[in-house]
């Protein structure tokens, strides 16, 4: 019984993360979004692991991943802890660097500014990607409390 409840909770988290990037509402996402979806679930695979995962779930190299293939593969990843999370200490240190005013949270505007203007961030972060990132975490935040729970999402 407990395993079924746990599996249902994992299923719900995976679906919520996937659906945040399903812009056409057709149960598919662009393959380029898979890394962000996996990261939003608290998993941090190596680039090799990410490429292998995508190869496993992408059909016919169309550039899209269907929920029916992603859900069971990601469920296995989460339940078997295949992609280790970043430790809470490291996340807290990163959060504290950004939380200059010690408010205990980051405003979406401040986060967007950090992601577009700070030199240490990747140049590939477009405003569209940043808005999607913030919207995804805002949707997931509804079921979670506190910044560390949002970032760690233990299953």
């Amino acid at each position: 019984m407990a395993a079924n409840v746990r599996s249902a909770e994992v299923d719900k988290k995976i679906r919520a993360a996937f659906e945040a990037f399903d812009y056409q509402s057709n149960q598919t996402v662009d393959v380029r979004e898979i890394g962000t979806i996996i990261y939003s679930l608290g998993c941090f695979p190596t680039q090799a692991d990410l490429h292998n995962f995508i190869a496993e779930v992408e059909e016919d190299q169309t550039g899209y991943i269907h929920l029916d293939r992603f859900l069971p593969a990601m469920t296995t990843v989460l339940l078997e802890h295949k992609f280790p999370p970043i430790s809470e200490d490291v996340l807290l240190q990163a959060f504290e660097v950004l939380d200059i005013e010690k408010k205990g949270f980051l405003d979406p505007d401040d986060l967007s500014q950090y992601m577009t203007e700070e030199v240490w961030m990747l140049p590939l972060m477009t405003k569209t990607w940043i808005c999607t990132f913030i919207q995804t975490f805002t949707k997931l935040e509804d079921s979670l409390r506190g910044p560390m729970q949002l970032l760690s999402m233990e299953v």
Side-chain angles (χ1 to χ4, degrees), residues 89-151:
D89 291 340
V90 171
L91 287 174
L92 184 56
Q93 288 173 355
F95 178 81
E96 288 172 345
V97 166
L98 297 176
D99 185 20
I100 297 167
E101 297 174 14
K102 308 278 187 243
K103 297 184 288 187
F105 63 91
L106 299 173
D107 294 314
D109 291 339
D110 293 339
L111 184 58
S112 179
Q113 180 179 350
Y114 289 134
M115 295 175 85
T116 57
E117 295 178 7
E118 295 296 321
V119 295
W120 51 268
M121 294 303 293
L122 298 174
L124 301 175
M125 293 185 177
T126 64
K127 288 206 181 277
T128 303
W129 185 91
I130 292 166
C131 289
T132 303
F133 176 84
I134 291 171
Q135 290 171 348
T136 300
F137 279 100
T138 301
K139 286 179 184 179
L140 293 173
E141 187 176 26
D142 290 341
S143 63
L144 302 169
R145 297 292 170 245
M148 291 313 300
Q149 286 177 318
L150 179 60
L151 294 172

Side-chain angles (χ1 to χ4, degrees), residues 12-23 27-45 50 53-54 57 64-67 70-71 74 77-78 83 129 132-133 136-137 140 153:
K12 183 178 176 180
K13 287 179 184 180
I14 294 170
R15 284 179 185 276
F18 189 93
E19 289 170 358
F21 291 90
D22 181 6
Y23 304 121
Q27 296 191 336
T28 62
V29 296
D30 189 299
V31 69
R32 295 171 292 187
E33 305 287 8
I34 294 300
T36 305
I37 295 169
I38 292 172
Y39 301 147
S40 76
L41 292 167
C43 298
F44 297 90
L50 184 57
F53 181 85
I54 289 170
V57 297
Y64 291 91
I65 307 290
H66 197 275
L67 179 62
F70 181 79
L71 186 61
M74 195 65 217
V77 165
L78 289 174
F83 303 145
W129 185 91
T132 303
F133 176 84
T136 300
F137 279 100
L140 293 173
M153 287 188 61

